[in-house]
């Protein structure tokens, strides 16, 4: 049954360019027929149909044209990374497939084997393996071996011999369909027609893809050990969550201020070893997510894949697999940093580099200063406090947020209550920026969560009550003014986002 589904997917894939050519041939035949009877009608018909035919042919030819497409990350050669290449070649031989022609390191929590192809994937020109640096940094060698074996296993299973072709075809068909225009009735009809064909192909190929994932998992277990394969699946899910936290909260925290970390890998390694983060990751390992997969997902749920592995044949783990995967790289720290750096645009080369603690302090201060400047506008901090003393809270509230949250016709009481809540958060941002600029507060590095704002004593205990009083409906700004004066904040303070204090 698996082979029949794979064969059907291959037939549908081969039929796709024939459908394109048949459609274009039909357009040409209509034009020839129209020209024989009415030139004006042929011109009108051509205005609608010829552009669509040209787009179909152009898009199909673009897919088939072998180009030196961009591949993410940095290339590692057998000379620069002999141990890594030796492992990949060993696994390819054991899996019964040819090794990749290239290995790239990128900044994704993933590994993949991709191929440059022509004829909608029927002809393979070059094979590449792409390995995510977060995997190398977070996996043991036995788990890393399992991941690489899984990717090579996509091209080795006899019972799913059409699956590699199916994987290539999905991407090619999607590119053709996405290249079609959406202007005009005829264009939309053509787009709809080819989209239905693509849906049919995806539906038929879906089970092939899922079967292939489980078959590749079996290869992974055979070449690396059942426990290594199962634990790698759990670990990747935990690493993905941790990597997203790292990228969202720390890696680019100084970007707008013009800074990046001088050592990406050092920061990510510190995050992985943070006690709080380590506990969270262990919980994710023990309890893989119970995500629901749609009928279009090519991968079964992680929990289902782990259960299938553990219910199947047992293979022992190879000796020595407890060592970190980074030991497989020569000059690992430099190589990993270079690969992680590629996640950013070319603008990253214009950024200054600094240590992590300074980066967090600079980035947090810059973000606060920009937000504070938006809150105050042309006012000074004292002028904002004068508005609160006068009961004019709404002038400092977030007008856009109010428009989205307040119901139409809201009374003065509702508007005032919203303003108090809005102003409390916005004023805190301004005060944080002011205290940072006089050295009484700073953004601190904490891998356990987002960077916290830390104040000198005794400001830590006094600031929150002072902000509460200043922004209450019956405002009293005296405690906050006294606190700011004692900290050294000038009466006419206005933030300057360009000021950077490290």
């Amino acid at each position: 049954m698996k082979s029949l589904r794979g064969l059907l997917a291959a037939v549908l894939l081969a039929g796709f360019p024939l459908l394109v050519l048949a459609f274009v041939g039909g357009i040409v035949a209509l034009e020839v027929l129209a020209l024989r009877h009415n030139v004006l009608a042929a011109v009108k018909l051509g205005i609608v149909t010829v552009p669509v035919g040209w787009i179909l042919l152009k898009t199909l030819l673009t897919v088939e044209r072998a180009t030196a497409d961009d591949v993410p990350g940095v290339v590692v050669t057998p000379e620069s990374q002999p141990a890594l290449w030796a492992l990949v070649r060993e696994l390819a031989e054991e899996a019964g497939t040819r090794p990749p022609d290239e290995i790239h390191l990128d900044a994704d929590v993933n590994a993949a084997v991709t191929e440059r192809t022509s004829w909608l994937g029927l002809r393979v020109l070059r094979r590449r393996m792409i390995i995510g640096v977060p995997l190398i940094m977070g996996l043991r060698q036995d788990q890393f071996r399992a991941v690489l074996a899984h990717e090579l296993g996509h091209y080795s299973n006899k019972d799913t011999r059409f699956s590699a072709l199916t994987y290539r075809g999905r991407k090619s068909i999607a590119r053709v369909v996405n290249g079609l225009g959406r202007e005009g009735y005829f264009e939309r009809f053509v787009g709809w027609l080819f989209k239905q064909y693509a849906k049919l192909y995806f539906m038929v190929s879906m089970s092939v893809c899922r079967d292939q994932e489980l078959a590749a998992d079996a290869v992974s277990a055979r070449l690396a050990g059942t426990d290594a394969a199962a634990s790698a699946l759990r670990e990747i899910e935990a690493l993905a969550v941790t990597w997203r936290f790292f990228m969202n909260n720390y890696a680019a925290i100084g970007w707008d201020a013009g800074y990046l970390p001088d050592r990406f890998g050092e920061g990510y390694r510190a995050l992985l070893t943070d006690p709080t983060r380590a506990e969270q990751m262990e919980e994710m390992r023990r309890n893989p997510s119970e995500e629901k997969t749609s009928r279009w997902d090519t991968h079964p749920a992680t929990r289902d894949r782990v259960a299938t592995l553990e219910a199947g044949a047992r293979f022992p783990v190879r000796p020595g697999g407890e060592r970190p995967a980074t030991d497989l790289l020569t000059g690992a720290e430099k190589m990993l940093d270079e690969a992680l750096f590629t996640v950013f645009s070319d603008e990253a080369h214009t950024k200054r580099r600094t240590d992590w603690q300074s980066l967090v302090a600079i980035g947090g201060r810059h973000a606060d200063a920009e937000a504070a400047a938006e809150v105050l506008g042309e006012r000074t901090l004292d002028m904002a406090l004068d508005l609160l003393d006068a009961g004019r809270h709404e002038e400092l509230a977030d007008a856009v947020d109010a428009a989205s949250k307040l119901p139409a016709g809201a009374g003065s009481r509702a508007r005032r209550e919203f303003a108090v809540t809005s102003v409390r958060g916005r004023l805190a941002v301004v005060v944080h920026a002011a205290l940072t600029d006089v050295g009484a507060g700073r953004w601190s590095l904490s891998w356990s969560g987002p960077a916290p704002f830390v104040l000198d004593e005794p400001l830590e205990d006094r600031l929150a009550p002072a902000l509460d009083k200043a922004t209450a409906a019956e405002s009293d700004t005296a405690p906050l003014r006294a606190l700011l004066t004692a900290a050294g904040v000038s009466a006419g303070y206005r933030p300057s986002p360009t000021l950077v204090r490290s």
Side-chain angles (χ1 to χ4, degrees):
M1 181 61 71
K2 293 178 182 179
S3 295
L4 288 176
R5 286 196 297 261
L7 176 60
L8 179 57
V11 170
L12 287 172
L13 176 60
F16 191 79
L18 297 178
L19 177 63
V20 172
L21 295 175
F23 201 91
V24 173
I27 290 175
V28 172
L30 281 175
E31 278 297 306
V32 171
L33 184 62
L35 282 170
R36 289 179 177 178
H37 293 83
N38 189 315
V39 175
L40 182 59
V43 171
K44 291 180 178 180
L45 180 64
I47 291 174
V48 175
T49 59
V50 171
V52 176
W54 168 244
I55 291 172
L56 282 170
L57 279 177
K58 181 181 177 182
T59 307
L60 185 62
L61 290 172
T62 299
V63 170
E64 299 310 328
R65 188 182 303 127
T67 58
D69 51 325
D70 293 332
V71 179
V74 297
V75 180
V76 292
T77 64
E79 294 74 25
S80 65
Q81 299 298 333
L84 177 61
W85 269 93
L87 174 61
V88 171
R89 286 168 171 164
E90 173 194 332
L91 291 172
E93 182 177 357
E94 293 183 14
T97 187
R98 69 179 181 84
D101 302 296
E102 303 169 12
I103 296 180
H104 297 248
L105 301 185
D106 75 352
D108 195 9
V109 189
N110 193 23
V113 173
T114 66
E115 295 177 326
R116 285 180 59 202
T117 65
S118 61
W119 289 103
L120 286 176
L122 293 169
R123 180 187 176 205
V124 178
L125 302 176
R126 193 164 183 81
R127 179 176 288 185
R128 302 182 178 99
M129 173 170 274
I130 303 171
I131 305 171
V133 167
L135 296 182
I136 300 176
M137 299 186 69
L139 296 179
R140 303 188 308 263
Q141 286 192 24
D142 60 341
Q143 295 170 327
F144 186 58
R145 180 185 182 93
V147 171
L148 300 187
H150 172 96
E151 297 307 325
L152 291 166
H154 279 301
Y155 299 90
S156 68
N157 295 288
K158 302 297 185 296
D159 59 331
T160 52
R161 57 186 176 275
F162 295 106
S163 57
L165 177 61
T166 301
Y167 264 72
R168 302 174 196 129
R170 289 172 63 86
K171 183 176 180 180
S172 298
I173 287 180
R175 288 180 62 184
V176 173
V177 173
N178 291 334
L180 297 175
R182 297 294 183 269
E183 299 295 329
Y185 293 110
F186 186 66
E187 289 91 335
R188 286 197 293 271
F189 168 74
V190 174
W192 176 86
L193 179 66
F194 280 88
K195 188 175 181 180
Q196 303 316 303
Y197 192 99
K199 282 184 177 180
L200 175 62
Y201 176 78
F202 290 161
M203 190 176 300
V204 171
S205 66
M206 189 59 57
S207 62
V208 178
C209 293
R210 292 194 176 199
D211 288 342
Q212 171 64 357
E213 287 301 325
L214 297 179
D217 284 343
V219 174
S220 175
R222 177 168 61 84
L223 300 188
T226 302
D227 290 341
S231 66
L233 289 174
R234 292 190 178 96
E235 193 69 30
I236 289 172
E237 192 165 288
L239 287 173
V241 173
T242 306
W243 179 250
R244 284 195 298 270
F245 173 85
F246 176 74
M247 294 302 298
N248 292 339
N249 292 275
Y250 280 105
I253 193 172
W255 180 272
D256 290 339
Y259 285 81
L260 283 173
D262 53 4
R263 289 187 295 274
F264 280 98
E266 177 187 275
Y268 188 58
R269 185 173 287 107
L271 175 63
L272 292 175
T273 57
D274 176 80
T276 300
R277 186 62 51 182
E279 289 179 8
Q280 295 170 349
M281 292 183 68
E282 181 57 32
E283 178 62 27
M284 286 185 278
R285 294 185 195 106
R286 288 196 300 265
N287 299 291
S289 65
E290 299 183 15
E291 75 274 23
K292 299 292 185 182
T293 57
S294 77
R295 62 175 179 167
W296 304 112
D297 287 333
T298 57
H299 289 61
T302 299
R303 187 181 291 268
D304 295 338
R305 293 172 66 187
V306 171
T308 301
L309 278 171
E310 293 178 340
R314 302 289 301 180
F315 296 95
V317 176
R318 304 288 180 94
E322 69 281 354
R323 296 194 300 272
T326 49
D327 288 354
L328 292 166
L329 292 185
T330 303
E333 199 69 42
K334 181 180 179 181
M335 177 63 65
L336 296 176
D337 276 346
E338 185 180 351
L340 290 176
F341 189 73
T342 63
V343 76
F344 297 101
S345 65
D346 290 341
E347 188 182 348
H349 296 284
T350 68
K351 307 295 182 182
R352 297 173 64 182
R353 311 293 287 273
T354 188
D355 65 274
W356 277 101
Q357 183 62 65
S358 297
L359 180 78
V360 170
I362 293 170
R365 189 270 161 198
H366 182 86
D368 258 2
E370 285 194 325
E374 188 274 330
V375 171
L376 292 178
E378 298 300 318
R379 309 181 189 93
T380 64
L381 178 52
D382 271 10
M383 292 168 65
L385 296 178
D386 290 341
L387 288 178
L388 297 178
D389 285 335
R392 295 159 60 185
H393 293 58
E394 291 182 37
E395 295 183 38
L396 290 177
D398 188 330
V400 175
D401 199 28
S404 64
K405 292 182 178 179
L406 282 174
S412 59
R413 179 182 178 87
R415 291 196 301 272
R416 188 175 185 83
E417 288 178 353
F418 172 82
V420 168
T421 303
S422 176
V423 171
R424 172 63 170 79
R426 286 160 65 82
L427 183 62
V429 169
V430 178
V431 171
H432 285 174
L435 293 175
T436 301
D437 283 347
V438 297
R442 66 205 56 83
W443 291 92
S444 180
L445 178 64
S446 173
W447 296 117
S448 299
F453 184 72
V454 180
L455 285 169
D456 294 340
E457 294 292 347
L459 297 179
E460 185 71 41
D461 297 326
R462 293 171 51 198
L463 180 58
L467 282 169
D468 291 339
K469 289 182 179 181
T471 56
E474 300 299 328
S475 179
D476 176 11
T477 63
L480 183 57
R481 292 179 191 268
L483 182 152
L484 293 170
T485 299
V489 178
S490 63
Y493 173 79
R494 294 184 69 248
S496 171
T498 58
L499 173 64
V500 173
R501 299 174 63 94
S502 58

